[in-house]
Amino acid sequence: KAGVTQTPRYLIKTRGQQVTLSCSPISGHRSVSWYQQTPGQGLQFLFEYFSETQRNKGNFPGRFSGRQFSNSRSEMNVSTLELGDSALYLCASRQGVDSPLHFGNGTRLTVT
Amino acid sequence: KNEVEQSPQNLTAQEGEFITINCSYSVGISALHWLQQHPGGGIVSLFMLSSGKKKHGRLIATINIQEKHSSLHITASHPRDSAVYICAAPFSNSGGSNYKLTFGKGTLLTVNP
């Protein structure tokens, strides 16, 4: 089975722009969750989608949004980028709430 | 406040030593995750446990629900075990199935040959 695929691997954007990141889960997994990792804050939970519905949300501003499609693929969007949004963005998929998480390799976003 | 505390932050060991990493959390949870992240690499889920003990190869994870404490043990440590180990707890936002996964700061383990 293919693992969780995140695209692109690297992105460089300018402050004020917006960005969309993509995550394809493992086949059969209906849950996709997103995380931000920075040296200062560590790993932080952004949100989780299950069957196209956002089930849980972390403490991030409304500039961070996401969606999940009927094939379980998910996208995360960040609008009006700030320098502090520079981070590694990871997504993870799982079969259900009682299942372990499977992480992608992440998208490294640099905002200049 | 829902918190996850890990200790130690850094750990250096000699090959073959027994390693213990600790994780404490502030409120009751349904299950705890242990993750491994190699430098520059992705994250691998090691364990998800809600009670007792789980073992996978040289790795053992235990959890004490009453004490709100979990430990990750590595027996006969090897340089390839060098990585950051992170525990994570799903704190419920408003009960039911809604939760926010909260992570510890991680433990950087270095195993020297």
Side-chain angles (χ1 to χ4, degrees):
Chain A
K1 250 184 189 178
V4 178
T5 304
Q6 289 189 248
T7 56
R9 288 297 308 274
Y10 302 93
L11 261 180
I12 300 175
K13 289 286 187 178
T14 303
R15 205 168 29 176
Q17 289 185 315
Q18 74 162 20
V19 67
T20 300
L21 312 182
S22 179
C23 174
S24 293
I26 290 173
S27 178
H29 287 194
R30 296 164 66 188
S31 163
V32 173
S33 49
W34 288 90
Y35 307 87
Q36 182 196 64
Q37 187 175 36
T38 60
Q41 298 296 320
L43 267 167
Q44 294 182 280
F45 170 73
L46 279 155
F47 29 66
E48 181 180 25
Y49 287 86
F50 186 84
S51 295
E52 302 179 65
T53 301
Q54 186 181 90
R55 290 189 55 185
N56 301 290
K57 192 175 190 303
N59 299 331
F60 279 81
R63 300 185 297 106
F64 292 81
S65 63
R67 59 179 176 168
Q68 187 180 33
F69 301 97
S70 58
N71 61 359
S72 293
R73 190 178 72 85
S74 178
E75 287 181 347
M76 190 193 91
N77 186 77
V78 188
S79 62
T80 320
L81 283 165
E82 301 177 359
L83 296 179
D85 297 333
S86 295
L88 179 66
Y89 290 89
L90 294 148
C91 79
S93 74
R94 56 180 173 173
Q95 282 186 313
V97 292
D98 295 327
S99 306
L101 295 162
H102 297 263
F103 285 83
N105 287 326
T107 293
R108 183 160 301 277
L109 172 65
T110 302
V111 182
T112 63
Chain B
K1 188 179 174 187
N2 297 330
E3 291 182 333
V4 177
E5 299 285 340
Q6 269 187 253
S7 63
Q9 278 190 308
N10 293 282
L11 182 55
T12 301
Q14 287 301 121
E15 184 173 354
E17 285 185 1
F18 181 82
I19 304 292
T20 295
I21 299 170
N22 296 299
C23 177
S24 297
Y25 48 93
S26 54
V27 297
I29 57 172
S30 56
L32 187 105
H33 300 259
W34 279 103
L35 311 171
Q36 179 194 56
Q37 185 173 33
H38 284 280
I43 295 177
V44 174
S45 176
L46 298 174
F47 297 102
M48 179 179 170
L49 69 166
S50 54
S51 65
K53 175 177 164 178
K54 285 191 176 181
K55 185 175 190 288
H56 182 72
R58 296 180 294 105
L59 299 177
I60 302 166
T62 63
I63 190 167
N64 184 319
I65 298 295
Q66 288 73 32
E67 299 280 322
K68 298 185 180 62
H69 180 269
S70 177
S71 293
L72 177 69
H73 306 284
I74 305 174
T75 61
S77 59
H78 189 276
R80 65 175 173 265
D81 297 325
S82 297
V84 175
Y85 293 84
I86 304 165
C87 65
F91 293 123
S92 176
N93 279 338
S94 55
S97 60
N98 293 323
Y99 72 92
K100 174 186 159 187
L101 194 61
T102 302
F103 296 85
K105 295 288 187 194
T107 295
L108 175 60
L109 171 65
T110 303
V111 182
N112 294 317

